């Protein structure tokens, strides 16, 4: 009799625990649905445009220019406003309109001549599939971080090779080092090979990690923003590297020093690879 009572109590406890787990999962899923599903439904409402072969190249260029614009305006204003200029990493260097136009022309040329034909091939090879259900918010965050970490590793290896092998540097990477004081529009001032190879890494990683299409779009947005911020030439109070603790993220000061010194800080975003291989340096 006592054993039967004990068994019933354990059964009730297990059922109660299972109920709490299911309730917690249901609550989390409901929150994801309330947050992510309306956003994803809005994106899917533009399905005809998303499935157009023109979308990837226009999306990339438009997002890039949108993120560059605030820094371009800041460059013009900071020349006259000392309270803003103090945030510039190299305060004695200011980009001219001619320099900005040269970078813009290079970016447009790369998008039209090289990126657009490849997006047509990609559109034909991998048709756009838009599932009805949005991804869970937690999974989106984890997948985006995973994509960034993988891209950071790929770029670090690519970058070291293109600095250590003289032929690779002179042939492909030297164009990106035309300016030792970076500004936002230098982000995509690079050779066709560099633009395409880094774009390949960015496009490949969400596929390797089997990301939801919405997650893939969010990763592209974050990746472009971080790249522009890295090359902005400004260390602002709200910069990403100030929001991430323990010096795990280098940000604009980390990458600006690479353009100044050439032989350190090869990773684009995080600092662990440079610290591990002894190529980490800091501005003083």
């Amino acid at each position: 009799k006592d054993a039967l009572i004990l068994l019933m109590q354990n059964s009730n406890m297990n059922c109660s625990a299972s109920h709490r787990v299911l309730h917690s999962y249901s609550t989390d899923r409901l929150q994801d649905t309330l947050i992510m599903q309306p956003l994803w439904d809005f994106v899917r409402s533009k399905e005809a445009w998303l499935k157009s072969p023109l979308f990837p190249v226009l999306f990339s260029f438009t997002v890039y220019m949108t993120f560059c614009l605030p820094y371009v305006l800041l460059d013009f204003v900071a020349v006259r406003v000392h309270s803003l200029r103090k945030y510039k990493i190299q305060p004695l260097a200011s980009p001219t309109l001619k320099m900005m136009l040269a970078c813009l022309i290079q970016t447009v040329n790369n998008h039209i001549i090289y990126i657009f034909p490849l997006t047509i091939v990609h559109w034909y090879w991998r048709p756009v599939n838009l599932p009805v259900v949005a991804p869970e918010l937690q999974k989106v965050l984890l997948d985006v971080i995973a994509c960034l970490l993988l891209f950071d590793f790929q770029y670090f290896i690519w970058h070291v090779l293109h600095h250590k092998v003289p032929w690779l540097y002179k042939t492909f990477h030297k164009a990106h080092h035309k300016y030792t004081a970076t500004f936002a529009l230098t982000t995509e001032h690079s050779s066709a090979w560099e633009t395409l190879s880094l774009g390949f890494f960015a496009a490949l990683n969400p596929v390797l990690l089997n990301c939801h299409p919405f997650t893939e779009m969010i990763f592209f947005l974050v990746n472009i923003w971080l790249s522009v911020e890295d090359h902005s030439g400004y260390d602002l109070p709200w910069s990403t590297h100030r929001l991430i603790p323990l010096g795990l993220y280098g940000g604009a000061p980390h990458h600006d020093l690479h353009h100044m010194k050439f032989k350190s800080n090869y990773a684009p975003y995080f600092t662990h690879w440079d610290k591990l291989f002894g190529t980490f340096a800091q501005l003083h």
Side-chain angles (χ1 to χ4, degrees):
K1 181 179 178 179
D2 292 339
L4 181 60
I5 292 173
L6 182 60
L7 181 62
M8 292 176 64
Q9 288 176 343
N10 288 338
S11 178
N12 290 335
M13 290 175 63
N14 289 337
C15 288
S16 177
S18 299
H19 176 73
R20 286 196 299 271
V21 171
L22 289 172
H23 177 71
S24 176
Y25 174 78
S26 299
T27 302
D28 292 343
R29 185 58 193 161
L30 177 60
Q31 291 175 344
D32 285 344
T33 302
L34 292 175
I35 296 172
M36 301 299 293
Q37 195 63 49
L39 294 174
W40 179 235
D41 288 340
F42 173 77
V43 172
R44 287 182 63 248
S45 69
K46 315 297 181 184
E47 184 173 359
W49 177 233
L50 293 174
K51 291 186 174 182
S52 166
L54 296 173
F55 174 75
V57 66
L58 291 178
F59 175 80
S60 171
F61 183 76
T62 303
V63 169
Y64 172 67
M65 291 306 302
T66 301
F67 288 158
C68 283
L69 183 59
Y71 289 112
V72 170
L73 296 176
L74 184 59
D75 281 327
F76 286 120
V77 175
V79 173
R80 298 171 178 82
V81 182
H82 179 72
S83 59
L84 293 176
R85 193 168 185 79
K86 67 181 181 180
Y87 296 114
K88 194 160 177 57
I89 298 170
Q90 299 186 52
L92 299 181
S94 296
T96 64
L97 181 60
K98 182 179 179 180
M99 292 161 64
M100 292 181 179
L101 287 175
C103 291
L104 182 58
I105 291 170
Q106 180 74 15
T107 300
V108 172
N109 178 75
N110 285 344
H111 274 76
I112 293 176
I113 305 300
Y114 302 104
I115 298 178
F116 178 61
L118 283 179
T119 59
I120 297 293
V121 174
H122 183 267
W123 168 79
Y124 178 80
W125 170 66
R126 187 171 176 250
V128 177
N129 177 36
L130 303 177
V132 175
V133 180
E136 296 180 13
L137 179 59
Q138 183 179 12
K139 187 169 183 357
V140 170
L141 296 175
L142 292 175
D143 282 348
V144 169
I145 293 172
C147 285
L148 286 174
L149 287 170
L150 184 55
F151 179 83
D152 193 72
F153 170 71
Q154 293 161 334
Y155 188 92
F156 176 79
I157 298 298
W158 185 98
H159 205 179
V160 169
L161 285 174
H162 282 71
H163 272 267
K164 300 300 182 184
V165 180
W167 179 80
L168 289 176
Y169 180 82
K170 292 178 182 179
T171 308
F172 300 117
H173 190 50
K174 187 177 181 179
H176 187 62
H177 278 279
K178 180 178 180 179
Y179 304 101
T180 55
T182 59
F183 52 95
L185 289 171
T186 62
T187 306
E188 294 192 5
H189 185 274
S190 54
S191 66
W193 165 252
E194 181 165 349
T195 298
L196 294 176
S197 55
L198 299 183
F200 173 75
F201 294 148
L204 177 66
N205 292 342
V207 178
L208 292 176
L209 298 175
N210 195 29
C211 295
H212 190 283
F214 197 24
T215 303
E216 188 174 352
M217 294 179 68
I218 294 172
F219 164 64
F220 287 157
L221 288 170
V222 174
N223 194 40
I224 294 172
W225 164 253
L226 293 179
S227 296
V228 171
E229 186 188 53
D230 265 10
H231 292 85
S232 67
Y234 289 91
D235 184 3
L236 298 168
W238 54 83
S239 295
T240 306
H241 75 280
R242 294 184 176 274
L243 304 178
I244 298 177
L246 305 176
L248 298 174
Y249 186 88
H254 182 81
H255 194 70
D256 199 275
L257 185 58
H258 170 74
H259 278 260
M260 291 168 61
K261 302 297 184 182
F262 296 99
K263 295 182 179 181
S264 60
N265 298 354
Y266 295 107
Y269 304 141
F270 302 98
T271 58
H272 55 277
W273 292 115
D274 283 304
K275 290 176 179 177
L276 182 63
F277 286 95
T279 55
F280 178 74
Q282 287 181 292
L283 281 169
H284 298 286

